[in-house]
Amino acid sequence: MANNTADHPPGNSVAEGGHDGDFGISMEELKALMELRSAEAVGRIQECHGDVQAICRQLKTSPIEGLSGNPTDLEKRHAAFGKNFIPPKKPKTFLQLVWEALQDVTLIILEIAAIISLGLSFYHPPGGNAEACGQAAGGVEDEGEAQAGWIEGAAILFSVIIVVLVTAFNDWSKEKQFRGLQSRIEQEQKFTVIRKGQVIQIPVAEIVVGDIAQIKYGDLLPADGILIQGNDLKLDESSLTGESDQVRKSLDKDPMLLSGTHVMEGSGRMVVSAVGLNSQTGIIFTLLGSGEHDDEKKVKKAKTQDGIALEIQPLKSDEATESEEKEEVKQVKKVNVTKKEKSVLQGKLTRLAVQIGKAGLFMSALTVIILILYFVIDTFAVKGLSWTAECTPIYIQYFVKFFIIGVTVLVVAVPEGLPLAVTISLAYSVKKMMKDNNLVRHLDACETMGNATAICSDKTGTLTMNRMTVVQAYVGDKHHKKVPEPDDINPGTLDTLINSISVNSAYTTKILSPEKEGGLPRHVGNKTECALLGLVLDLKRDYQPIRDEIPEEKMYKVYTFNSSRKSMSTVLQNADGGFRMYSKGASEIVLRKCSRILDAQGQPRVFKPKDRDEMVKQVIEPMACDGLRTICVAYRDFPTEAGEPNWDNENDILNELTCIAVVGIEDPVRPEVPAAIAKCQRAGITVRMVTGDNINTARAIATKCGILLPGEDFTCLEGKEFNQQIRNDKGEVEQDRLDKVWPKLRVLARSSPTDKHTLVKGIIDSTVGETRQVVAVTGDGTNDGPALKKADVGFAMGIAGTDVAKEASDIILTDDNFTSIVKAVMWGRNVYDSISKFLQFQLTVNVVAVIVAFTGACITQDSPLKAVQMLWVNLIMDTLASLALATEPPTESLLLRKPYGRDKPLISRTMMKNILGHAVFQLIIIFTLLFAGENFFDIDSGRNAPLHSPPSEHYTIVFNVFVMMQLFNEINARKIHGERNVFEGVYKNPIFCSVVLGTFALQIIIVQFGGKPFSCAPLTVDQWLWCVFVGMGELLWGQLISAIPTHHLKFLKEAGHGITKEEIHKEELTEDTDEIDHAEMELRRGQILWFRGLNRIQTQMDVVYTFQTGQAAVPGALRRQPSVVSQHNDATAAKTLSSPTHVGLSSSSSLTNSAGAPPPAAASSSAAGN
């Protein structure tokens, strides 16, 4: 193609005026053009415009130079064709979040009870004989006291308002944080365009119509475009069409490139023709957005899980192209919940929450029943009074009071602070992990990582530095142990070698001068090609003049590198009409196709299979054993006489090659990796290397890293051998066979993406060993998508990773470094421990408060801790404690223990010992104070006080001591493995210190000035000192408890188990229904009260709680609004590969729009979040 710069004005020539008229083509014409496909589109372009070059002229851009980047020109393009930006869904307002928080059933019950109480307190029965109502009316000393009856109701309402505001504020800040994270992910997404003849990377949002974009393997197209020039280009358009086959793109057959599709092979250039809402994906979003409310919800999900400005479109991954996956799709019949389970912690919390909820419900019901029975028997049977009309309001007031006490017990039993602790802990970790080069895309991944038992890592770039250099070469029958001098090589051979390397590589790959004086040259593009170009420079030659002489347009045919070909070839047409093809690729693969080799004189001589075997032994294996990657460079001539060969018949074309040279490329191991791998092994995590490299190279690198240790019985396999061992005669993977291979496997070399996926799936599904494995995988290539999605945690490379890999991942490593994975493990374990610390503290509070309220109510007909006090203890202390305990920074000691695994209970025996031990201490103290406290302190007893009596010092001391004990127990809760020094590192956590001191200060205010609303009477300094002293007893008692060896306490039960093996089997029988379905079944049996609280745990954990898809779980599961399953699907949405089965099922109200898009649930498969 000729350079058209001369034919039309350069890009910035539109001087003034911003109408379509300034461009030779309008937005509507372009939109209409982009809706056409293949031959139809080619016909329309020829008919209306002539050719693509003409469209470039109409758009005032140059196919070679691109736009000028002049700001006024860019503005005009924005005005005429729109911006590359899809506006986000509006976030929920604070009031909406308040309304949502008000939906909590326990809060609603409290509100109703408080309102009834308020109403009744204003009702005074007319005159009559108050005595006739028995004790109910007694004890009202004066009118003023009777008037104060409204205070309790008002105080409960007030505390409910505080709780709602705190919850709403948390949700609001969480959503804000999540949006911040999403926009950070989006800012990182850049795309390569040509402006002023320079290849630059700009953020996706800045692309305008008329830009010339360079596209390559692994890209996710950010806008619609028309192909100008392409090499062997194949796209996956399944995200728009639902068809999983790759579509070949070329100028004469199908030049239309659509946003949201993936480049699976090849490279090229396109002129951008539609952006943002006018692109094909934008049009689909507009159609969806205009649908009814239910459909809007789906759009939310389709928009990067959060409706953040969507600059990258939804994808349906290339899973369907994997034959492996096709088999799996056939097996899954009735599943509408994808196999991606809830995170380990979520599962355990759901179960624990259900158990606690049941217990709380039972206790509160029992309390109410006992109180009412006691009152009725005492009043009507013992005292023999009759129920009269004028007494009714007074009796009802008593019943309401009992009801409030019952609800209070329930409120205390339900760990309201738990979801908050989870959220704070995860959000805090995610924020801090950013600094450790982990960009977390799905919150639960951060915690799952703490349970990881296996890491399958790539070699290049993760374990090694990804800075490749040629260090050895075999050329002209001689093996040079270091890069040869140009004089050592025959001039003819040298020219062929230089030409081959310069032409047969992506022109986007370059070596630029160092940024700093004395620094290393900068490698841009494919690192292996950079090494070869480096060899050209080492041979004192330059590749740029050759590229200028042969621009990409002059290339006749390009076979780009892909994982099945493992080689790249470029065909050029000679002046005489013949052709020359240059090839390069993995040495053992390319050498197999060579029939000649250039000798020392530069003449081709015959190269037989036995010569090849000799060369493998003498040259390739020694290079590989030094840890070098070997690349073979070759060429082939097609003479004019033979006519033009059939280029589509690859097997014949890529044959009969002549070998020019074999080079050994070194990619040094990152210096910090061996230590990081040793840490993983000490932490009980197995590291496996999965690489496409030669087995000898892989083994050498694995030994340097410490993955293979001398004297240990581990295996290294090649992909081929691995498949022979795990597949049966029909070629199907058998789990039993796989189970024999993976436990010892440490290196898998020459592996295909399918092998990687098979290995990951095999390890995850395996039931060998005590616990089910939790697998983390790293990947950077497009073809790593399926493995990244299948893994429990997928890590994508931030620098070398393709868009497709990033989109399939949970965490992006911004520095591509293995040590960052170890940091992620540390943070993950820290989250888990933080939740456990909080649980240990929370459950002690709950157990004590419930027992005190229950026994107190049964013995003294009134809870010693009043409803408002309970709310203060439960909600405010929980909220603050969750903040204090969830923000503990991680320590290296976390890496000294084994992973907890999926079925290790959340509450260990040691924790159970601590909870019960402290509960016993607190109960003894409180009951002693309750029944004998007035004697110790020489004050009036507060027991059996009448209905509206003023607060007593006695009950205030009980309340105060209770809070003091919790405060000191919060310090004990910092350690969950029975450590003695509970103050260790306390100064490193300023949040903890300020929370403890802050709570103490608030408590002083409540007791001294709380008065009637908090049922508190001010205390003297002496009484205060005694309260604090008793509270400090907690610390000493904690030391006593930790001295008791846990292994003697066999009777202690653990709680909060994960999933057990039997259930895994059961789960497999029910064909992959969701992991925690049993918990949901229990829920369905009517824990209506508990329901909302559980939902909150789900919601707050997933943070994505605003985006439900409205799917039900198993058929007939409760369609509760933020369904546990639908939220879970959102959280793991970007990991969920939509299979055809999934498509049909997941869109419960399938809607297909006029653009022929699949239902949004399928189209999105949670649109790219990066």
Side-chain angles (χ1 to χ4, degrees):
M1 286 174 200
N3 182 336
N4 293 301
T5 358
D7 308 7
H8 59 82
N12 57 351
S13 64
V14 187
E16 300 83 27
H19 331 291
D20 290 355
D22 288 352
F23 296 99
I25 185 168
S26 71
M27 185 168 79
E28 294 310 318
E29 286 177 88
L30 283 171
K31 249 166 106 169
L33 179 62
M34 291 315 294
E35 278 172 11
L36 303 175
R37 302 282 176 273
S38 50
E40 214 179 334
V42 177
R44 171 73 65 88
I45 292 175
Q46 285 169 351
E47 187 184 319
C48 300
H49 308 283
D51 60 2
V52 184
Q53 306 292 326
I55 294 179
C56 289
R57 283 196 289 282
Q58 289 169 328
L59 286 173
K60 311 208 160 142
T61 180
S62 149
I64 306 294
E65 299 285 313
L67 295 178
S68 65
N70 177 339
T72 48
D73 174 43
L74 296 181
E75 270 311 304
K76 295 220 168 35
R77 289 175 191 276
H78 282 154
F81 302 109
K83 294 189 172 184
N84 195 23
F85 175 81
I86 293 178
K89 260 278 186 272
K90 283 195 181 70
K92 290 202 172 171
T93 61
F94 188 68
L95 285 175
Q96 280 172 309
L97 292 170
V98 167
W99 177 244
E100 276 187 10
L102 275 170
Q103 310 295 311
D104 190 315
V105 179
T106 34
L107 288 182
I108 291 173
I109 293 173
L110 267 182
E111 287 156 29
I112 294 169
I115 289 167
I116 295 174
S117 162
L118 261 179
L120 289 171
S121 68
F122 291 122
Y123 175 82
H124 298 295
N129 181 6
E131 287 304 312
C133 303
Q135 64 174 55
V140 177
E141 282 85 11
D142 56 38
E143 277 304 298
E145 275 308 328
Q147 301 303 323
W150 64 273
I151 292 183
E152 184 171 41
I156 292 178
L157 278 182
F158 181 70
S159 16
V160 166
I161 290 168
I162 295 283
V163 174
V164 166
L165 289 176
V166 167
T167 313
F169 178 74
N170 276 313
D171 288 349
W172 177 79
S173 57
K174 202 167 54 193
E175 193 169 321
K176 193 166 144 242
Q177 226 175 6
F178 191 75
R179 284 175 177 262
L181 175 70
Q182 284 299 97
S183 59
R184 154 104 195 244
I185 289 173
E186 267 153 19
Q187 284 157 9
E188 295 218 332
Q189 217 226 340
K190 292 197 158 69
F191 208 75
T192 314
V193 297
I194 302 174
R195 286 194 180 167
K196 282 198 201 151
Q198 294 293 313
V199 176
I200 57 166
Q201 285 209 323
I202 59 169
V204 159
E206 290 176 19
I207 292 176
V208 293
V209 170
D211 257 323
I212 305 296
Q214 285 204 338
I215 52 176
K216 60 180 187 311
Y217 157 81
D219 280 345
L220 177 66
L221 299 187
D224 292 353
I226 305 170
L227 191 65
I228 300 177
Q229 176 264 323
N231 306 322
D232 199 16
L233 199 58
K234 284 188 193 159
L235 268 69
D236 171 7
E237 294 189 345
S238 56
S239 57
L240 291 178
T241 61
E243 294 294 323
S244 58
D245 295 340
Q246 294 179 8
V247 184
R248 189 182 282 278
K249 296 286 178 184
S250 62
L251 278 171
D252 45 355
K253 300 250 171 45
D254 184 0
M256 310 313 263
L257 307 175
L258 307 175
S259 57
T261 57
H262 290 101
V263 183
M264 302 309 286
E265 240 178 73
S267 62
R269 286 206 315 272
M270 70 172 189
V271 56
V272 175
S273 57
V275 292
L277 288 170
N278 300 312
S279 66
Q280 288 303 296
T281 311
I283 292 168
I284 291 174
F285 273 120
T286 322
L287 285 171
L288 292 177
S290 60
E292 54 198 301
H293 181 69
D294 193 41
D295 303 342
E296 272 179 35
K297 278 192 185 169
K298 295 190 170 172
V299 185
K300 282 185 189 167
K301 180 178 174 202
K303 288 199 189 155
T304 72
Q305 298 180 336
D306 191 11
I308 313 292
L310 193 123
E311 286 148 10
I312 12 179
Q313 305 338 20
L315 84 151
K316 174 174 173 295
S317 156
D318 48 359
E319 171 157 0
T321 58
E322 299 282 351
S323 56
E324 191 77 30
E325 294 310 356
K326 286 186 182 156
E327 288 167 29
E328 203 172 277
V329 170
K330 286 175 205 152
Q331 294 160 15
V332 182
K333 295 181 192 75
K334 57 173 185 188
V335 189
N336 55 353
V337 181
T338 38
K339 177 67 176 112
K340 195 72 209 181
E341 292 120 354
K342 288 198 190 77
S343 77
V344 185
L345 185 63
Q346 256 174 301
K348 292 179 182 179
L349 281 176
T350 308
R351 294 184 139 206
L352 190 66
V354 172
Q355 291 161 355
I356 296 174
K358 281 181 163 173
L361 203 54
F362 174 72
M363 291 294 278
S364 64
L366 200 62
T367 312
V368 175
I369 292 165
I370 289 175
L371 283 171
I372 291 177
L373 283 176
Y374 192 101
F375 176 79
V376 170
I377 292 167
D378 185 55
T379 310
F380 301 121
V382 180
K383 297 196 175 142
L385 299 174
S386 57
W387 185 303
T388 57
E390 60 264 26
C391 291
T392 306
I394 293 181
Y395 291 148
I396 289 180
Q397 218 161 332
Y398 261 98
F399 289 145
V400 169
K401 177 180 162 186
F402 297 151
F403 185 61
I404 288 180
I405 291 171
V407 174
T408 312
V409 172
L410 178 71
V411 167
V412 174
V414 172
E416 291 282 311
L418 189 55
L420 194 64
V422 174
T423 308
I424 291 175
S425 184
L426 287 173
Y428 171 76
S429 305
V430 166
K431 221 169 181 165
K432 295 283 187 194
M433 283 168 80
M434 289 269 205
K435 293 189 177 130
D436 284 340
N437 302 310
N438 283 290
L439 179 61
V440 181
R441 293 185 62 233
H442 301 128
L443 270 187
D444 55 351
C446 143
E447 158 267 315
T448 311
M449 202 50 218
N451 289 299
T453 53
I455 298 175
C456 295
S457 172
D458 272 359
K459 174 178 78 70
T460 309
T462 316
L463 300 173
T464 61
M465 291 171 77
N466 204 10
R467 187 178 175 86
M468 302 200 188
T469 41
V470 173
V471 289
Q472 295 187 20
Y474 177 88
V475 57
D477 289 344
K478 188 173 178 201
H479 184 172
H480 301 268
K481 292 287 186 181
K482 57 182 205 306
V483 177
E485 290 298 315
D487 309 341
D488 298 349
I489 306 175
N490 175 286
T493 307
L494 185 60
D495 284 344
T496 313
L497 180 63
I498 303 292
N499 284 339
S500 176
I501 292 173
S502 306
V503 173
N504 186 31
S505 56
Y507 278 20
T508 46
T509 304
K510 299 185 178 72
I511 294 185
L512 305 176
S513 51
E515 281 174 339
K516 295 192 195 81
E517 283 284 314
L520 293 167
R522 280 180 299 153
H523 286 184
V524 180
N526 180 306
K527 300 295 188 259
T528 312
E529 290 181 351
C530 284
L532 293 169
L533 294 177
L535 173 67
V536 172
L537 300 177
D538 289 345
L539 291 169
K540 316 281 189 291
R541 301 294 271 283
D542 190 1
Y543 57 85
Q544 200 52 51
I546 301 171
R547 288 184 170 183
D548 294 343
E549 193 184 319
I550 308 172
E552 282 182 286
E553 287 77 17
K554 284 198 183 166
M555 292 178 181
Y556 197 82
K557 171 84 183 158
V558 178
Y559 298 95
T560 50
F561 181 89
N562 65 25
S563 52
S564 55
R565 224 177 249 153
K566 284 205 175 353
S567 68
M568 171 179 177
S569 309
T570 303
V571 181
L572 301 176
Q573 188 162 16
N574 303 333
D576 62 359
F579 298 93
R580 169 168 280 197
M581 176 175 78
Y582 292 117
S583 290
K584 67 165 190 292
S587 54
E588 54 264 58
I589 290 169
V590 177
L591 278 178
R592 238 176 265 142
K593 300 182 173 164
C594 288
S595 55
R596 294 181 190 72
I597 186 166
L598 294 181
D599 61 17
Q601 280 70 51
Q603 296 304 313
R605 65 174 164 81
V606 177
F607 186 61
K608 298 199 181 82
K610 71 169 200 305
D611 301 334
R612 185 176 69 233
D613 298 342
E614 186 67 18
M615 185 158 167
V616 167
K617 274 203 199 74
Q618 302 296 323
V619 179
I620 292 171
E621 280 182 9
M623 280 187 186
C625 292
D626 291 341
L628 305 184
R629 293 182 68 176
T630 54
I631 299 285
C632 175
V633 183
Y635 75 98
R636 177 180 179 184
D637 283 324
F638 297 94
T640 324
E641 309 78 74
E644 186 168 345
N646 173 8
W647 298 114
D648 291 337
N649 187 349
E650 264 185 63
N651 290 342
D652 288 355
I653 300 288
L654 293 180
N655 219 331
E656 303 290 320
L657 302 177
T658 305
C659 169
I660 309 169
V662 171
V663 295
I665 296 176
E666 181 182 50
D667 185 8
V669 170
R670 287 177 182 264
E672 62 276 22
V673 161
I677 287 180
K679 269 186 198 165
C680 282
Q681 289 161 341
R682 196 170 55 235
I685 302 169
T686 310
V687 182
R688 294 182 173 84
M689 181 203 284
V690 182
T691 176
D693 242 334
N694 172 313
I695 190 157
N696 294 320
T697 311
R699 193 181 281 127
I701 300 279
T703 311
K704 281 183 192 167
C705 293
I707 293 175
L708 292 177
L709 300 169
E712 295 207 4
D713 175 26
F714 294 138
T715 52
C716 301
L717 292 177
E718 281 199 341
K720 209 194 247 164
E721 202 181 334
F722 171 69
N723 277 307
Q724 284 165 358
Q725 293 190 18
I726 62 164
R727 292 179 189 272
N728 59 18
D729 306 339
K730 294 181 191 156
E732 293 161 350
V733 177
E734 283 188 4
Q735 189 65 44
D736 299 350
R737 290 171 178 241
L738 194 55
D739 286 344
K740 291 188 185 117
V741 176
W742 73 258
K744 292 244 166 125
L745 182 70
R746 288 295 177 274
V747 175
L748 183 58
R750 280 282 176 251
S751 66
S752 70
T754 320
D755 297 337
K756 190 174 189 174
H757 179 264
T758 309
L759 176 66
V760 172
K761 183 175 181 299
I763 297 179
I764 289 178
D765 293 349
S766 172
T767 47
V768 179
E770 294 147 38
T771 57
R772 171 157 135 29
Q773 298 277 315
V774 178
V775 184
V777 169
T778 69
D780 53 8
T782 305
N783 39 30
D784 289 329
L788 286 170
K789 288 195 175 175
K790 181 67 201 171
D792 293 288
V793 183
F795 284 91
M797 300 299 143
I799 304 167
T802 58
D803 296 342
V804 184
K806 287 180 189 171
E807 198 169 312
S809 69
D810 300 291
I811 298 180
I812 297 173
L813 294 180
T814 50
D815 63 346
D816 289 14
N817 194 334
F818 188 82
T819 45
S820 303
I821 299 178
V822 181
K823 294 214 178 97
V825 171
M826 209 154 85
W827 275 108
R829 292 187 174 192
N830 193 51
V831 168
Y832 206 89
D833 280 7
S834 296
I835 305 299
S836 296
K837 286 171 191 175
F838 177 73
L839 269 175
Q840 178 175 307
F841 171 72
Q842 166 87 56
L843 292 179
T844 313
V845 180
N846 285 12
V847 168
V848 175
V850 169
I851 293 176
V852 168
F854 175 69
T855 17
C858 297
I859 297 168
T860 67
Q861 284 79 64
D862 186 8
S863 166
L865 298 171
K866 300 290 183 289
V868 179
Q869 295 175 349
M870 289 272 212
L871 284 170
W872 154 245
V873 168
N874 186 47
L875 293 156
I876 315 303
M877 279 194 65
D878 282 4
T879 306
L880 293 172
S882 60
L883 190 65
L885 292 168
T887 52
E888 289 272 315
T891 57
E892 285 282 330
S893 60
L894 287 168
L895 293 175
L896 298 175
R897 62 168 175 80
K898 298 277 179 273
Y900 284 144
R902 276 180 190 272
D903 33 21
K904 167 102 168 47
L906 209 50
I907 299 172
S908 63
R909 265 215 180 99
T910 312
M911 285 168 64
M912 198 56 102
K913 175 184 76 175
N914 290 342
I915 291 170
L916 296 178
H918 287 291
V920 167
F921 174 76
Q922 293 182 12
L923 287 170
I924 291 170
I925 298 279
I926 284 187
F927 284 132
T928 309
L929 286 175
L930 189 56
F931 296 112
E934 67 269 32
N935 307 333
F936 284 129
F937 289 102
D938 192 24
I939 46 176
D940 296 334
S941 164
R943 292 190 298 282
N944 296 328
L947 193 59
H948 293 312
S949 55
S952 64
E953 281 186 333
H954 181 193
Y955 272 21
T956 306
I957 288 176
V958 172
F959 167 59
N960 202 20
V961 166
F962 179 68
V963 172
M964 288 301 123
M965 289 196 294
Q966 302 320 327
L967 262 185
F968 285 101
N969 192 30
E970 198 169 327
I971 300 173
N972 280 330
R974 290 186 67 242
K975 301 292 172 201
I976 49 174
H977 299 300
E979 298 92 332
R980 281 299 180 83
N981 181 4
V982 288
F983 288 101
E984 184 193 355
V986 76
Y987 311 111
K988 285 184 190 154
N989 190 354
I991 300 180
F992 183 85
C993 302
S994 46
V995 164
V996 172
L997 296 171
T999 313
F1000 187 65
L1002 277 171
Q1003 179 65 14
I1004 294 176
I1005 294 169
I1006 285 173
V1007 171
Q1008 297 306 99
F1009 310 106
K1012 181 80 184 167
F1014 276 98
S1015 312
C1016 287
L1019 301 180
T1020 64
V1021 174
D1022 277 7
Q1023 289 166 335
W1024 262 104
L1025 288 171
W1026 274 108
C1027 291
V1028 174
F1029 176 70
V1030 173
M1032 286 179 75
E1034 268 288 336
L1035 292 173
L1036 301 170
W1037 184 255
Q1039 292 301 312
L1040 194 68
I1041 293 177
S1042 58
I1044 304 170
T1046 314
H1047 56 86
H1048 290 328
L1049 307 173
K1050 290 277 184 280
F1051 60 89
L1052 284 182
K1053 279 268 188 285
E1054 300 164 322
H1057 283 265
I1059 188 164
T1060 57
K1061 266 196 192 170
E1062 296 72 62
E1063 283 160 352
I1064 288 183
H1065 289 306
K1066 240 188 287 172
E1067 186 190 329
E1068 281 167 359
L1069 292 175
T1070 57
E1071 301 202 80
D1072 304 313
T1073 33
D1074 204 330
E1075 179 180 321
I1076 313 293
D1077 266 352
H1078 356 274
E1080 278 163 37
M1081 309 280 189
E1082 284 181 58
L1083 271 173
R1084 225 180 304 153
R1085 295 186 194 127
Q1087 261 68 33
I1088 304 295
L1089 267 178
W1090 170 236
F1091 222 32
R1092 245 339 261 197
L1094 169 61
N1095 248 349
R1096 216 189 270 175
I1097 287 182
Q1098 286 302 331
T1099 4
Q1100 295 198 318
M1101 276 199 59
D1102 284 350
V1103 182
V1104 200
Y1105 79 107
T1106 25
F1107 316 105
Q1108 292 99 25
T1109 44
Q1111 309 171 356
V1114 256
L1118 281 162
R1119 293 292 299 271
R1120 53 185 180 273
Q1121 184 213 354
S1123 131
V1124 175
V1125 181
S1126 70
Q1127 279 168 356
H1128 149 64
N1129 275 355
D1130 290 335
T1132 50
K1135 305 193 59 159
T1136 311
L1137 279 172
S1138 46
S1139 62
T1141 334
H1142 180 64
V1143 172
L1145 291 155
S1146 61
S1147 45
S1148 35
S1149 57
S1150 250
L1151 97 160
T1152 308
N1153 50 44
S1154 55
S1164 77
S1165 175
S1166 161
N1170 46 3

